[in-house]
Amino acid sequence: MIDFRSDTVTRPSLKMRNAISQAEVGDDVYGDDPTVNELEQWSAERHGFEAAIFCSSGTQANLLALMAHCERGDEYLCGQQAHNYKFEGGGAAVLGSIQPQPIENEKDGTICLTKLAQAIKPDDSHFACTKLVSIENTINGKVLPLQYLADLRAFVNKHQLSLHLDGARVYNAATALDVDITEIAQHFDTMSVCLSKGLGAPIGSLLFGPTDLIIKARRWRKVLGGGMRQAGILCAAAKIALTENVEKLKVDHENAQYLALQLNNIKGINVNVSQVMTNMVFAKIDKSIDIYAVASALKAQNIIISPSENMRLVTHLDISKEDIDSFISALISVLA
Ligand SMILES: *Cc1c(COP(=O)(O)O)cnc(C)c1O
């Protein structure tokens, strides 16, 4: 199977499976799982935060962050395209009584600081209380400039707001910029990271932040049914994701560049290669191509794509350069 739909399809390596089988575990709701405790302590320090909490998913990590920062009747400012606005079932509003205030993202994925300032509500009982700015990096495969992050930090300080990063793919951003993860993390009060995407762990995300907020998050995680017992099984794989698979993201990015160039050689398919910054390729498919029929034909050859006129293809641990060559030749023959 060559699966371009997402980097979430990566399967745990043999080393992860072995670590899972050997993991020392306990009941984490009692705080007794040594593998969970070790991962949370080590990763908090590694990312430059006071504390960390292991979560079942990125959606849960983001929701815990929003619920730790905001009370009922508060609001957070975020991008119109933000995952934690658009793709998480409205969790903040549904479960947290927190109002999202989405603002159109700029082309580069940033949110204009002037527009953010205009969206901050005055201290008046007509309005929700603006508490938090939440951004995403990478966003649709794009990397936010470090200078923007510094400017945004100064902005939230000036307006006495807090700042959350949905860093589901923040390691892709650090890899693309060739900086240590702390160069990005330092600007944020809280940060979520997905371990189960490009980093290849089977399950889990981490939420980082100051101790008081992580204590609140832990309480909300229990309320949401996310108090997991022998979760050391998962954290054993997560540690390997963070220690061994970060380096490999470089290869995913190189493969995405290669894929973009190969696709661009095909008539009716257009990729703006300069916009391919990490492991995502967006290909514009000409109307003359029935991409849904193409997807079915490829599926018969064990190649999976998500057909769309503006089609996203994602490279990851389980896709090699040879797999891309196989895909391209299959695609060319299907189109012929
Ligand atoms: C995938 C993703 C999430 C959610 O992670 P899940 O583990 O799928 O719940 C959050 N934010 C962004 C930007 C993502 O890409």
Side-chain angles (χ1 to χ4, degrees), residues 18-238:
N18 287 336
I20 286 168
S21 75
Q22 299 299 313
E24 229 188 295
V25 294
D27 188 331
D28 181 51
V29 177
Y30 288 116
D32 284 350
D33 191 306
T35 310
V36 176
N37 293 340
E38 199 273 333
L39 178 74
E40 290 181 345
Q41 278 156 26
W42 169 81
S43 66
E45 202 167 306
R46 168 69 190 93
H47 294 82
F49 290 87
E50 275 177 15
I53 179 169
F54 182 73
C55 302
S56 61
S57 67
T59 300
Q60 188 182 65
N62 280 331
L63 180 59
L64 295 183
L66 295 171
M67 290 176 77
H69 281 287
C70 301
E71 307 285 335
R72 180 182 189 201
D74 289 344
E75 80 169 4
Y76 68 107
L77 312 180
C78 61
Q80 190 76 43
Q81 301 307 320
H83 200 281
N84 64 17
Y85 168 60
K86 205 172 167 183
F87 300 103
E88 296 181 10
V94 173
L95 299 163
S97 300
I98 302 160
Q99 167 169 284
Q101 169 63 72
I103 297 157
E104 204 55 62
N105 292 89
E106 302 303 309
K107 278 216 162 65
D108 65 358
T110 61
I111 309 173
C112 166
L113 298 186
T114 311
K115 290 180 191 165
L116 273 177
Q118 285 162 355
I120 298 172
K121 309 297 180 287
D123 182 8
D124 172 319
S125 60
H126 286 86
F127 302 108
C129 303
T130 311
K131 281 284 165 66
L132 175 73
V133 176
S134 173
I135 63 160
E136 197 171 305
N137 193 18
T138 62
I139 178 160
N140 286 327
K142 288 182 189 145
V143 180
L144 304 184
L146 287 175
Q147 187 57 50
Y148 174 75
L149 303 186
D151 293 346
L152 185 59
R153 181 72 245 177
F155 173 90
V156 297
N157 287 350
K158 181 176 156 207
H159 294 280
Q160 295 181 298
L161 303 173
S162 296
L163 188 58
H164 172 68
L165 178 64
D166 176 352
R169 295 190 179 87
V170 66
Y171 270 102
N172 293 89
T175 300
L177 293 168
D178 198 20
V179 298
D180 188 76
I181 194 70
T182 52
E183 291 293 311
I184 296 175
Q186 61 172 338
H187 299 291
F188 297 90
D189 297 294
T190 52
M191 175 172 88
S192 60
V193 177
C194 279
L195 306 165
S196 63
K197 293 187 172 169
L199 297 179
I203 298 172
S205 280
L206 282 161
L207 174 66
F208 302 106
T211 305
D212 59 334
L213 285 186
I214 296 303
I215 289 172
K216 278 176 97 176
R218 199 171 290 281
R219 187 178 176 79
W220 285 126
R221 189 187 65 176
K222 189 78 181 80
V223 172
L224 294 168
M228 296 179 282
R229 302 293 178 174
Q230 286 74 34
I233 295 274
L234 305 176
C235 291

Side-chain angles (χ1 to χ4, degrees), residues 223-300:
V223 172
L224 294 168
M228 296 179 282
R229 302 293 178 174
Q230 286 74 34
I233 295 274
L234 305 176
C235 291
K239 180 83 184 270
I240 293 171
L242 285 169
T243 50
E244 303 202 359
N245 286 350
V246 170
E247 273 293 300
K248 298 178 186 162
L249 294 175
K250 270 195 203 111
V251 178
D252 296 347
H253 295 187
E254 285 162 16
N255 283 345
Q257 283 291 326
Y258 181 67
L259 172 63
L261 292 169
Q262 298 302 309
L263 285 169
N264 242 350
N265 287 336
I266 299 174
K267 193 167 166 279
I269 300 182
N270 278 296
V271 180
N272 185 345
V273 180
S274 70
Q275 292 296 304
V276 179
M277 299 166 83
T278 58
N279 66 334
M280 288 186 191
V281 175
F282 288 89
K284 286 230 155 53
I285 312 296
D286 198 87
K287 295 251 187 301
S288 61
I289 297 173
D290 180 353
I291 193 66
Y292 296 89
V294 170
S296 313
L298 288 171
K299 188 143 190 221

